[in-house]
C-alpha cells in the first residue's frame, strides 16, 4: 500500500524535464521574439566555441578575440544566466523582467571590459585605475548574483566570504592564525578581474578551451539518438538477468556518463526508463532510485570527460590529458564493476524475477560484453595503422582522404542502420515488456560509435589537444545530424528527404542550444571559483590552511585525508562538482602532498586531485542536499532522504577507493608496465567485488558477521599488499646520518633513499621535519652521487649539518621553507636505505586462498540447507 502512495508522488515527464532544466540549463523559457533571441545567442555561443577550437581559428577570428576568448566566454554565460534563470522561485518563467535585462546587459559589458579596453589595460601594466576598480567590483557582484541563480546560494556565499577576507583580513575579528595585512580595493580588483589570476584564471580558461566542446559533443551525440541507443543496448544485453533492469541502468548510465557531465540529467535520462522497470522486478522505490543515483553520479568519474575535472587536472597537475585519463580509468572501471555486483546481490538476496522469457547465462553475457568493449578498444587502437598507411602514400592530401574514408564508413554504417527500424523509446509501464534483442538492434546505432572513435583516436593515439580532438569529433556530429535522416530516407526508398533534412537542421540547432545552456552553470562555476583561487594566491592563505589542517590532524595523514574528504562533502552540498573540485584542490592538494612527505609517504599530485574529485561527486549523493537523490526520488516517487542514504551505502566503494589509491598508487597505473597493469586490473576487480560482498553481507549465501569481516580484510590485503609485506620484510633499513655518503654509494640504480631533514621553519622558527625521496640514477661512488643531489653537508660531533642547497639543485625547492641561517642548524635526522624485499604480489596468494575457503564454507552451508529443506 505504501508503494501505491509513493508512486502517486512521482513527477510527470514534463515536470522531470523542468527539474533538469531548472538545475542544469535554466527554468525560464520565454516565447516569441525574446525566446528566439535567446536561442540565437546560444547558437552563436556554440558556433563561436567550435570556431575557436578549430585549426582555422587563427585565420577566421581576429587575434584580439582569440586573446580575450575567456572574457567572451564569460560574457555569453553571464548574459544567458540572467536570461534563463529566474531570480526567485516566484519570479516569472514566461517573460524576462526589465531588471534582468539591465543586469544581463551590464554584466555582459563588464565581462567584456578587458576586451573593450584591452589597450588601456596593457598600457597601465595590467593594473586597475580608479575607473577600472569600480567596474571590476560591479562585475564581481553581478557574477555572484548570476552564480546564485544558476548554482544556488552556496557558491556566491563562499566566494563573498573569501572576497571579504581579502579586504578585511587584517581586522581584529579575524583569528590570528589566518590574519593578513589586507588589500586595497584597487589591488584586489586588479587581481580578481583585470589580470588572469582571479575570475579570468586557469579554471575559466579550461572551460573556454576544452570543456565547452566536450559538453557540446555530448549534447549533439544525445540529440542524434545515441543516449537511447546505449540504453536499449544495455537493456537488451542485461535485461533478462536477475535484477536485469538495474544492471542495464548501471551500464546505460556508464555509457551516458561518457557524454554527459551532469548527474541530474543522467538520472532523469536513464531513470525515467529504468526505475519503473526496477520497481517492476522487486526493487523498492528507494532502492531503484539509489541504483540510478549511484550509477549516474559515477558517470562523472568515467573518462574521457569526467564532468570537466579531467581538463582542470591537466592544468593544475601539469601532466597531459592522456595521463590524466589513464590514471583515472582503473578506479572508475572497478567502481562500475562493483555496482553491477551490488545490484546482482540485491536481486539474488530477494530472489527477484526476470523480465521476458529469454534464457542466457550470466557468463555468456559477461563474455559478450567483454568481447564488445575489447573489440571497441582494439578498433580505436588499430585505426592508427590504416591512417599511417594513407599518410605515407599521400603525405599532402592525407587529411582529405581520411575525411572521405570516414564519411564513406559512416554512409555504409548508416545503410546498415536503414535496414532496421529506428529505435523508439520504450514504455516501461507497458503491460508486457519486450526485451530488445541485441543481435537485431545493434545495427541501428553503430554509426554513433564513429565520433567516439574519432575523439579517442585524436586524444589517445595522435595525442592532440582535448579541444582540437573534440572539434573533429563535433564536426563529424554536425555531418551526422544533418545527413542521417535524409540518407536513411533515401536508403529506404522514401521520397520525403527534404523534410528529413529540415528535421536534421532542427536537431542540430537544438543540439547547439542545449550545449550552450548546459554550459551556463559550468562557465559561472569556473569564473566564481576563480575568486577563491585568486584569494589563495593574493593572501597566501593556502599555507595558513596547510598549517591549520596539519595542527588539527596532529600530523596524521589518514586523519587529514578524512578532514579533506569531509570538507569536499560539506562544500559539495552547495557547490557543483567542478567548482567544489577547484576550491578544495586549490586549498588542500598541496597540503596533502606536503604532509605526506613529512610522514614519509610520497603522494603523487594526481592522486590527491582524484581524491578530492571523488569526494566532490559524492556530495550529489549525500543527504540532506544530494541533488541527484532528489531527482531520482522525483522519478521513483520514493522518499528522497531514504533514497540518498541507500545510494550512499551503495557508494561506499567510491569513498573507500580514494583512500586506497593514495597509499597504493599502482591503482592509478603510475609507473607500471602493461603486464603489471593487467595483473593490477584483475586483482583490483576481485578486491572490489570482495569488498562489495563483505559490505552487502552476502557472498555465496548470506554471510555471518565474521565472514563479512574476513571478506573486507581480504579486500584490504588485495588492495594494499605492501601494507602486509612491509610488516613481514621492511623495505628500508635505518642508516646512521654519518654514513649517508656510503649509503648513496651502496644503493643500486633504480632504488630510492629516504632522507628525513629536520630544522627550524623559516616563518615560525619551530622545528619541523620533511622527507626527501632520492632516486638513484646511473653509476658512480657516493661522493659523486652526493654532488649530483646539490646537498652540502658538514659533520659536527657526529651530526650531519646541512647548508642551504645550491640554487636550482634537485632539492632546493623542497627545502626552501627551512631557515638555514638560524641559531639551530638544519640536519639529517635519519636515513632509510633500501633493503631486499620479496615481491609484494606474493601476499595475493594467501589472501586468495582464504577467499576460496570462505566460498567453500558458504557453499557447504548452502548444500546442507538444501538437503534439510
Amino acid at each position: 500500500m505504501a508503494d501505491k502512495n509513493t508512486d502517486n508522488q512521482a513527477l510527470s515527464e514534463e515536470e522531470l524535464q523542468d527539474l533538469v532544466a531548472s538545475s542544469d540549463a535554466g527554468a525560464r523559457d520565454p516565447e516569441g521574439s525574446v525566446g528566439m533571441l535567446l536561442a540565437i545567442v546560444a547558437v552563436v555561443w556554440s558556433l563561436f566555441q567550435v570556431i575557436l577550437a578549430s585549426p582555422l581559428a587563427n585565420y577566421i577570428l581576429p587575434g584580439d578575440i582569440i586573446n580575450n576568448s575567456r572574457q567572451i566566454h564569460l560574457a555569453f554565460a553571464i548574459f544567458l544566466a540572467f536570461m534563463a534563470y529566474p531570480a526567485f522561485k516566484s519570479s516569472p518563467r514566461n517573460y524576462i523582467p526589465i531588471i534582468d535585462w539591465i543586469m544581463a546587459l551590464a554584466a555582459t559589458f563588464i565581462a567584456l571590459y578587458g576586451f573593450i579596453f584591452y589597450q588601456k589595460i596593457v598600457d597601465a601594466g595590467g593594473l586597475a585605475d580608479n575607473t577600472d576598480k569600480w567596474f571590476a567590483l560591479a562585475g564581481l557582484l553581478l557574477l555572484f548574483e548570476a552564480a546564485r541563480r544558476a548554482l544556488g546560494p552556496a557558491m556566491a556565499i563562499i566566494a563573498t566570504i573569501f572576497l571579504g577576507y581579502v579586504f578585511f583580513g587584517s581586522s581584529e575579528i579575524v583569528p590570528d592564525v589566518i590574519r593578513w595585512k589586507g588589500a586595497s580595493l584597487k589591488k584586489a580588483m586588479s587581481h580578481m578581474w583585470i589580470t588572469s589570476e582571479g575570475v579570468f584564471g586557469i579554471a575559466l580558461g579550461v572551460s573556454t578551451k576544452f570543456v565547452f566542446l566536450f559538453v557540446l559533443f555530448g549534447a549533439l551525440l544525445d540529440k542524434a539518438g545515441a543516449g537511447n541507443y546505449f540504453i536499449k543496448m544495455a537493456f537488451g544485453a542485461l535485461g533478462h538477468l536477475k535484477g536485469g533492469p538495474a544492471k542495464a541502468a548501471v551500464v546505460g548510465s556508464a555509457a551516458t556518463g561518457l557524454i554527459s557531465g551532469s548527474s541530474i540529467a543522467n538520472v532523469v535520462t536513464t531513470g525515467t526508463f529504468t526505475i519503473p522497470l526496477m520497481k517492476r522486478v522487486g526493487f523498492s522505490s528507494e532502492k531503484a532510485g539509489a541504483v540510478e543515483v549511484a550509477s549516474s553520479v559515477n558517470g562523472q568519474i568515467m573518462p574521457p570527460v569526467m564532468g570537466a575535472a579531467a581538463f582542470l587536472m591537466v592544468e593544475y597537475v601539469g601532466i597531459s590529458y592522456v595521463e590524466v585519463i589513464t590514471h583515472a580509468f582503473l578506479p572508475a572501471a572497478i567502481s562500475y564493476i562493483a555496482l553491477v555486483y551490488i545490484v546482482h546481490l540485491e536481486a539474488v538476496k530477494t530472489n527477484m524475477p526476470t523480465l521476458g522469457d529469454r534464457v542466457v547465462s550470466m557468463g555468456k553475457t559477461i563474455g559478450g560484453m567483454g568481447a564488445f568493449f575489447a573489440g571497441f578498444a582494439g578498433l580505436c587502437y588499430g585505426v592508427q595503422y590504416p591512417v599511417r598507411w594513407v599518410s605515407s602514400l599521400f603525405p599532402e592530401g592525407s587529411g582529405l582522404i581520411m575525411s572521405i574514408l570516414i564519411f564513406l564508413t559512416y554512409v555504409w554504417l548508416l545503410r546498415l542502420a536503414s535496414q532496421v527500424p529506428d529505435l523508439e523509446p520504450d514504455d516501461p509501464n507497458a503491460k508486457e515488456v519486450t526485451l530488445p534483442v541485441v543481435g537485431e538492434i545493434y545495427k541501428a546505432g553503430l554509426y554513433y560509435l564513429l565520433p567516439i572513435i574519432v575523439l579517442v583516436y585524436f586524444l589517445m593515439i595522435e595525442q592532440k589537444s582535448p579541444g582540437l580532438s573534440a572539434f573533429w569529433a563535433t564536426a563529424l556530429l554536425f555531418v551526422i545530424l544533418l545527413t542521417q535522416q535524409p540518407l536513411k530516407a533515401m536508403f529506404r526508398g522514401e521520397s520525403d528527404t527534404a523534410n528529413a533534412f529540415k528535421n536534421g537542421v532542427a536537431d542540430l540547432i537544438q543540439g547547439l542550444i542545449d550545449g550552450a545552456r548546459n554550459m551556463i552553470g559550468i562557465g559561472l562555476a569556473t569564473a566564481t571559483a576563480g575568486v577563491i583561487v585568486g584569494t589563495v594566491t593574493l593572501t597566501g592563505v593556502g599555507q595558513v590552511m596547510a598549517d591549520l589542517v596539519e595542527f588539527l590532524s596532529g600530523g596524521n595523514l589518514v586523519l587529514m585525508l578524512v578532514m579533506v574528504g569531509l570538507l569536499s562533502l560539506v562544500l559539495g552540498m552547495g557547490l557543483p562538482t567542478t567548482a567544489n573540485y577547484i576550491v578544495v584542490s586549490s586549498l588542500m592538494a598541496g597540503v596533502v602532498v606536503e604532509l605526506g612527505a613529512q610522514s614519509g609517504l610520497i603522494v603523487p599530485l594526481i592522486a590527491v586531485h582524484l581524491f578530492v574529485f571523488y569526494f566532490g561527486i559524492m556530495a550529489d549523493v549525500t543527504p540532506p542536499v544530494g541533488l541527484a537523490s532528489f531527482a531520482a526520488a522525483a522519478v521513483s516517487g520514493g522518499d528522497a532522504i531514504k533514497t540518498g542514504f541507500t545510494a550512499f551505502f551503495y557508494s561506499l566503494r567510491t569513498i573507500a577507493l580514494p583512500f586506497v589509491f593514495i597509499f597504493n598508487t599502482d591503482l592509478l597505473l603510475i609507473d607500471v608496465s602493461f603486464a603489471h597493469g593487467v595483473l593490477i586490473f584483475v586483482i583490483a576487480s576481485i578486491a572490489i567485488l570482495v569488498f562489495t560482498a563483505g559490505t552487502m553481507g552476502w557472498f555465496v549465501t548470506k554471510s555471518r558477521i565474521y565472514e563479512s569481516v574476513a571478506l573486507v580484510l581480504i579486500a584490504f590485503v588485495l588492495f594494499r599488499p605492501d601494507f602486509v609485506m612491509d610488516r613481514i620484510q621492511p623495505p628500508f633499513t635505518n642508516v646512521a646520518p654519518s654514513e649517508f655518503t656510503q649509503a648513496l654509494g651502496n644503493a643500486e640504480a633504480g632504488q630510492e633513499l629516504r632522507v628525513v631533514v629536520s630544522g627550524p621553519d623559516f616563518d615560525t622558527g619551530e622545528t619541523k621535519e620533511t622527507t626527501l625521496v632520492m632516486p638513484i640514477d646511473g653509476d658512480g661512488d657516493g661522493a659523486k652521487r652526493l654532488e649530483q643531489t646539490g646537498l652540502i653537508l658538514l659533520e659536527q660531533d657526529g651530526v650531519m649539518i646541512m647548508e642551504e642547497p645550491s640554487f636550482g639543485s634537485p632539492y632546493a625547492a623542497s627545502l626552501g621553507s627551512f631557515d638555514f641561517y638560524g641559531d639551530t642548524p638544519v640536519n639529517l635526522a635519519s636515513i632509510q636505505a633500501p633493503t631486499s624485499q620479496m615481491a609484494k604480489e606474493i601476499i595475493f596468494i594467501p589472501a586468495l586462498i582464504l577467499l576460496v575457503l570462505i566460498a567453500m564454507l558458504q557453499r557447504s552451508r548452502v548444500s546442507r540447507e538444501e538437503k534439510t529443506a
Side-chain angles (χ1 to χ4, degrees):
M1 197 66 187
D3 245 2
K4 273 187 181 175
N5 291 335
T6 54
D7 284 348
N8 293 333
Q9 299 167 9
L11 300 186
S12 67
E13 177 65 26
E14 187 178 342
E15 290 171 320
L16 288 171
Q17 292 309 320
D18 184 62
L19 172 68
V20 175
S22 60
S23 58
D24 280 349
R28 191 183 277 151
D29 193 15
E31 298 176 351
S33 57
V34 175
M36 178 64 72
L37 173 66
L38 297 191
I40 291 171
V41 172
V43 169
V44 170
W45 188 17
S46 290
L47 292 177
F48 166 73
Q49 296 287 165
V50 170
I51 294 170
L52 185 66
S54 77
L56 301 175
N58 292 324
Y59 303 100
I60 298 173
L61 299 175
D64 287 351
I65 288 180
I66 294 175
N67 293 336
N68 292 281
S69 57
R70 296 180 188 183
Q71 283 89 339
I72 296 169
H73 181 80
L74 179 59
F76 275 114
I78 206 165
F79 177 80
L80 288 174
F82 282 111
M83 295 289 99
Y85 289 90
F88 306 102
K89 286 185 178 179
S90 59
S91 299
R93 301 280 186 100
N94 58 344
Y95 73 92
I96 300 171
I98 188 68
I99 185 66
D100 284 1
W101 279 104
I102 294 170
M103 294 173 80
L105 293 172
T108 303
F109 172 75
I110 298 174
L112 293 171
Y113 190 84
F115 171 58
I116 296 169
F117 299 104
Y118 180 74
Q119 194 57 49
K120 171 193 166 188
I121 291 169
V122 170
D123 293 342
L127 300 175
D129 60 21
N130 287 325
T131 304
D132 298 337
K133 71 181 182 183
W134 294 113
F135 274 104
L137 181 60
L140 284 175
L141 295 176
L142 287 168
L143 173 63
F144 292 172
E145 167 59 13
R148 181 195 68 80
R149 295 184 181 204
L151 308 168
M155 186 83 212
I157 291 170
I158 293 170
T160 303
I161 291 170
F162 272 81
L163 190 62
Y165 173 68
V166 170
F167 295 126
F168 307 111
S170 59
S171 170
E172 292 183 1
I173 63 172
V174 176
D176 288 342
V177 69
I178 60 171
R179 191 175 299 169
W180 84 297
K181 63 182 181 180
S184 66
L185 180 62
K186 187 183 291 187
K187 182 178 181 181
M189 292 303 102
S190 288
H191 195 82
M192 295 297 178
W193 198 269
I194 304 300
T195 70
S196 59
E197 295 292 329
V199 169
F200 299 101
I202 289 174
L204 188 64
V206 170
S207 178
T208 306
K209 287 194 297 181
F210 305 141
V211 178
F212 192 106
L213 261 289
F214 278 84
V215 170
L216 179 62
F217 173 79
L220 293 175
L221 194 57
D222 187 57
K223 199 66 191 171
N228 185 43
Y229 176 69
F230 291 152
I231 294 170
K232 284 260 193 182
M233 287 289 287
F235 191 51
L238 300 167
H240 59 280
L241 301 172
K242 272 188 185 294
K247 291 170 183 170
V250 174
V251 176
S253 292
T256 308
L258 293 173
I259 60 175
S260 168
S262 167
S263 302
I264 297 165
N266 204 344
V267 165
V268 173
T269 301
T270 55
T272 48
F273 174 67
T274 57
I275 287 175
L277 288 174
M278 283 190 258
K279 291 167 67 176
R280 199 161 177 160
V281 296
F283 282 88
S284 67
S285 296
E286 287 76 20
K287 283 187 176 180
V291 169
E292 187 57 55
V293 169
S295 310
S296 298
V297 168
N298 265 33
Q300 290 195 69
I301 65 174
M302 181 62 75
V305 179
M306 293 172 61
F311 313 109
L312 290 160
M313 287 179 198
V314 170
E315 300 293 332
Y316 288 150
V317 182
I319 59 178
S320 72
Y321 180 77
V322 174
E323 289 176 287
V324 169
I325 58 178
T326 300
H327 299 324
F329 172 73
L330 181 56
I334 63 174
S335 185
Y336 264 109
I337 289 170
L339 189 53
V340 172
Y341 190 49
I342 286 172
V343 167
H344 176 70
L345 291 178
E346 286 284 15
V348 169
K349 280 158 70 173
T350 54
N351 196 24
M352 289 182 184
T354 57
L355 286 176
D357 55 2
R358 210 177 333 144
V359 179
V360 182
S361 69
M362 173 73 106
K364 189 174 178 181
T365 300
I366 292 173
M369 292 187 67
F372 170 78
F373 286 114
F376 181 68
L379 184 61
C380 291
Y381 182 78
V383 164
Q384 62 181 307
Y385 298 107
V387 172
R388 287 176 184 169
W389 180 71
V390 170
S391 299
S392 62
L393 285 179
F394 309 100
E396 296 297 324
S398 59
L400 177 61
I401 292 170
M402 286 309 305
S403 299
I404 293 170
L405 289 175
I406 290 171
F407 182 75
L408 292 175
T409 305
Y410 159 64
V411 171
W412 175 67
L413 291 173
L414 201 60
R415 187 177 183 86
L416 284 179
S418 67
Q419 296 171 7
V420 297
D422 290 338
L423 300 179
E424 297 292 335
D426 291 322
D427 178 10
N429 299 309
K431 263 192 173 182
E432 288 190 19
V433 177
T434 305
L435 294 177
V437 179
V438 172
E440 296 174 2
I441 67 168
Y442 77 96
K443 293 180 182 178
L446 279 177
Y447 63 94
Y448 294 135
L449 300 180
L450 268 181
I452 300 174
I453 292 172
V454 168
L455 178 65
V456 173
Y457 171 76
F458 276 106
L459 281 174
M460 304 295 290
I461 308 300
E462 291 285 336
Q463 297 198 10
K464 300 292 186 185
S465 74
L468 185 60
S469 303
F471 166 77
W472 288 118
T474 302
L476 178 54
L477 274 171
F478 275 40
V479 174
I480 290 174
L481 279 162
L482 288 173
T483 62
Q484 64 173 346
Q485 293 192 46
L487 285 177
K488 277 185 185 178
M490 285 173 52
F491 290 137
R492 289 169 178 165
E494 299 168 358
S495 57
D496 199 16
T497 53
N499 278 333
F501 181 73
K502 282 182 184 176
N503 292 336
V505 172
D507 284 345
L508 175 59
I509 291 172
Q510 190 58 50
L512 293 170
I513 293 170
D514 291 346
R517 292 193 71 152
N518 290 344
M519 268 303 299
I520 297 171
I522 296 175
L524 293 176
T526 51
T528 312
V531 174
I532 297 160
V533 176
T535 301
V536 173
T537 57
L538 179 62
T539 64
V541 72
Q543 185 57 48
V544 177
M545 291 286 288
D547 295 339
L548 182 62
V549 170
E550 183 180 348
F551 171 74
L552 292 174
S553 64
N556 184 293
L557 184 60
V558 174
L559 183 57
M560 196 197 67
L561 288 171
V562 171
M563 291 170 62
V564 171
L566 288 173
L567 176 64
S568 297
L569 283 176
V570 171
L571 287 179
M573 289 180 181
L575 301 186
T577 306
T578 305
N580 187 9
Y581 162 72
I582 295 169
V583 173
V584 181
S585 62
S586 300
L587 292 173
M588 293 288 117
V591 183
V592 175
V593 173
E594 184 181 335
L595 189 55
Q598 292 177 19
S599 305
L601 178 70
I602 305 308
V603 184
L605 193 54
I606 182 64
V608 184
H609 279 261
L610 284 171
F611 179 94
V612 170
F613 180 56
Y614 268 60
F615 275 91
I617 67 163
M618 282 303 297
D620 278 350
V621 177
T622 312
V625 191
L627 293 178
S629 299
F630 278 88
V635 178
S636 70
D639 179 81
I641 299 297
K642 193 174 177 184
T643 300
F645 278 113
T646 308
F648 183 81
F649 176 70
Y650 287 165
S651 301
L652 282 177
R653 74 216 182 284
T654 312
I655 295 172
L657 275 174
F659 286 97
V660 172
F661 61 60
I662 284 284
F663 292 96
N664 180 11
T665 57
D666 285 355
L667 286 173
L668 301 180
L669 302 179
I670 295 176
D671 297 329
V672 299
S673 63
F674 178 78
H676 191 199
V678 172
L679 175 65
I680 291 167
F681 180 80
V682 172
I683 295 297
S685 299
I686 295 172
I688 200 72
L689 294 176
V690 172
F691 175 80
T692 301
T695 54
M696 293 290 289
W698 192 285
F699 188 31
V700 177
T701 185
K702 185 176 181 180
S703 298
R704 290 168 179 165
I705 292 178
Y706 63 86
E707 291 171 336
S708 292
V709 171
L711 288 171
V712 172
L713 289 175
I714 290 169
F716 175 78
V717 171
L718 292 175
F719 275 132
R720 290 285 318 276
D722 55 309
F723 181 85
V724 179
M725 182 57 77
D726 289 353
R727 277 142 189 81
I728 298 172
Q729 282 187 323
F732 295 98
T733 183
N734 289 323
V735 174
S738 58
E739 297 175 8
F740 178 49
T741 305
Q742 185 181 344
L744 279 173
N746 293 338
E748 297 178 8
Q751 291 184 325
E752 293 177 344
L753 259 69
R754 301 202 168 196
V755 180
V756 178
V757 179
S758 176
D761 183 87
F762 187 82
D763 294 321
T764 65
E766 296 179 3
T767 301
K768 69 171 190 174
E769 291 186 348
T770 192
T771 303
L772 302 180
V773 175
M774 294 187 172
I776 306 300
D777 298 319
D779 299 322
D781 58 14
K784 184 178 178 182
R785 285 175 170 172
L786 177 60
E787 185 181 347
Q788 291 171 349
T789 66
L791 300 180
I792 303 170
L793 302 174
L794 297 171
E795 186 173 356
Q796 292 182 4
D797 302 324
V799 178
M800 297 299 289
I801 305 298
M802 179 182 290
E803 295 188 1
E804 187 172 14
S806 317
F807 178 75
S809 61
Y811 304 103
S814 303
L815 299 172
S817 59
F818 284 96
D819 183 1
F820 288 92
Y821 303 100
D823 296 333
T824 305
V826 179
N827 63 86
L828 298 188
S830 65
I831 297 169
Q832 290 184 315
T835 185
S836 59
Q837 185 187 52
M838 293 185 293
K840 63 184 179 183
E841 288 77 11
I842 291 174
I843 300 298
F844 293 151
I845 296 172
L848 293 173
I849 290 173
L850 181 56
L851 178 63
V852 171
L853 289 175
I854 293 174
M856 291 172 62
L857 179 66
Q858 291 199 353
R859 195 173 292 279
S860 65
R861 192 159 71 240
V862 170
S863 299
R864 288 197 304 272
E865 289 170 357
E866 287 175 350
K867 286 178 182 177
T868 55

